[in-house]
Amino acid sequence: MAKDLLIGSHVGMNAPDYYLGSVKEAMSYGSTAFMFYTGAPQNSYRKPLGDLKIEEGRALLKEQGFDENHIVVHAPYIINPANKNRPDLLELTIKTIINELRRTAAFGAKILVLHPGNHLGLGAEEAIKALAENLDTILSQDGTDVKIAIETMAGKGSEIGTCFEDVRKIIDLCHYPDRLGVCLDTCHVHDAGYDVNNVDDLLAEFDRIISLKRLLVVHVNDSKNIRGAHKDRHENIGYGEIGFEALCKIANHPLLRDIPKILETPYINEKAPYSDEIRMLRDEKFIDNWKDKYLA
Ligand code: FE
Ligand code: FE
Ligand code: ZN
């Protein structure tokens, strides 16, 4: 039944309720999955776990029968795990990711989404090798069973991981492939040049190059820009260059049934659009001009 769709959005984690508030926010949208940052996305400062009402949040999840396998953590995106020529920053990057793995496990979550980083003029090949080495360092010191889901990127600036082949290379070069998976972001792959409207071909290509067994998370976002634009600007569902039909097909695709689908679409007038976006994807029915009520 459509109601079983594993779908949700990114949610906040703010004072005073922290994780309990995150869980309540996700539930208020009718989510069956969600994603959060364990602190600010744009820095590596992290509040102690003891302050975050984790037990209270987990108790509510349990009470509601919400499966923690469908909860995803996103690593801070400011760090560059493909860093090679800045050893001064590398130590902090490695420490930050090891800490995020530990924190993810403390929330009972099993997946940490990681942006593969930027080559900063080094070239993608060198950066891919550096990333695999850095992942080896991280995973050799980590005691959790959390999987790192490498996110497919739009190709903004010198981002790496912009094609399935490169993501596959990262996994092949790492000595802990069992700890690695992939997060497919629809806006990012569209901006990188893939035809997201051809859903079956897109998934077939993913399967051929990487294997769908590696797919751990799907980020469902429309894109403000045309295919291949390398911009990475998310748009609300049905209002962008990908469109409702393709995003709905992805959200409801039988091959992706057991994978959490996460919306990272923009707020409208400071209001979260997720209840409506989730409902439309679940009902497989677009509501014309659904955004209007937020703009009023
Ligand atoms: Fe991301
Ligand atoms: Fe994303
Ligand atoms: Zn993005």
Side-chain angles (χ1 to χ4, degrees):
M1 233 186 81
K3 241 192 141 193
D4 294 323
L5 199 62
L6 286 183
I7 191 162
S9 67
H10 65 161
V11 294
M13 187 168 65
N14 306 306
D17 281 343
Y18 295 104
Y19 193 52
L20 179 60
S22 312
V23 173
K24 285 181 177 169
E25 184 186 342
M27 286 173 177
S28 77
Y29 305 142
S31 309
T32 45
F34 66 87
M35 182 175 82
F36 67 103
Y37 290 85
T38 80
Q42 63 276 35
N43 67 50
S44 55
Y45 168 76
R46 289 299 181 255
K47 259 191 179 312
L49 291 168
D51 294 352
L52 299 179
K53 303 208 173 167
I54 297 176
E55 269 174 59
E56 290 93 324
R58 295 189 74 180
L60 180 58
L61 289 167
K62 200 172 173 191
E63 187 192 300
Q64 298 290 322
F66 199 111
D67 187 340
E68 288 183 330
N69 287 306
H70 306 146
I71 298 170
V72 179
V73 174
H74 198 306
Y77 52 65
I78 194 74
I79 49 168
N80 180 16
N83 168 15
K84 184 173 173 168
N85 25 7
R86 290 290 302 275
D88 50 326
L89 295 177
L90 186 57
E91 199 182 329
L92 175 67
T93 300
I94 286 172
K95 261 170 64 183
T96 298
I97 300 172
I98 291 172
N99 193 35
E100 276 311 293
L101 286 164
R102 189 177 62 83
R103 291 170 71 85
T104 301
F107 283 89
K110 308 280 191 303
I111 304 167
L112 177 67
V113 171
L114 180 72
H115 290 186
N118 304 289
H119 67 69
L120 305 172
L122 199 68
E125 288 305 310
E126 286 305 306
I128 286 167
K129 279 187 219 156
L131 173 59
E133 268 174 45
N134 295 338
L135 286 171
D136 281 348
T137 306
I138 290 160
L139 292 169
S140 69
Q141 293 174 50
D142 171 64
T144 74
D145 61 356
V146 172
K147 287 194 177 184
I148 294 177
I150 296 162
E151 183 162 354
T152 58
M153 303 310 289
K156 193 173 74 179
S158 70
E159 278 174 351
I160 63 165
T162 58
C163 64
F164 299 160
E165 286 81 358
D166 283 1
V167 173
R168 171 65 192 266
K169 271 186 215 157
I170 297 162
I171 296 167
D172 283 347
L173 286 170
C174 176
H175 289 100
Y176 301 85
D178 293 349
R179 298 288 305 280
L180 299 182
V182 180
C183 168
L184 178 86
D185 185 309
T186 56
C187 169
H188 295 178
V189 295
H190 163 89
D191 279 29
Y194 287 92
D195 183 3
V196 176
N197 284 91
N198 229 321
V199 176
D200 291 310
D201 288 351
L202 181 77
L203 295 181
E205 183 159 356
F206 187 101
D207 194 36
R208 183 170 62 84
I209 312 282
I210 302 174
S211 167
L212 282 170
K213 288 196 190 95
R214 296 265 180 208
L215 187 54
L216 302 178
V217 187
V218 177
H219 285 169
V220 181
N221 302 307
D222 215 328
S223 173
K224 284 193 197 294
N225 294 100
I226 56 164
R227 183 178 158 195
H230 305 297
K231 295 272 205 231
D232 189 6
R233 293 190 64 214
H234 302 185
E235 181 54 283
N236 292 107
I237 302 298
Y239 279 79
E241 293 290 330
I242 299 173
F244 182 76
E245 202 186 316
L247 295 170
C248 185
K249 190 167 176 184
I250 287 177
N252 290 279
H253 204 287
L255 286 173
L256 309 180
R257 198 191 56 198
D258 300 325
I259 298 167
K261 271 77 64 178
I262 305 291
L263 295 156
E264 305 172 293
T265 50
Y267 272 44
I268 312 160
N269 258 345
E270 285 156 46
K271 284 171 280 202
Y274 307 123
S275 301
D276 285 307
E277 292 183 325
I278 288 168
R279 186 173 339 100
M280 289 189 297
L281 292 170
R282 197 172 262 153
D283 294 348
E284 300 180 59
K285 196 173 176 298
F286 186 70
I287 298 163
D288 284 326
N289 307 315
W290 66 268
K291 255 170 109 161
D292 286 0
K293 72 175 184 203
Y294 293 83
L295 298 166

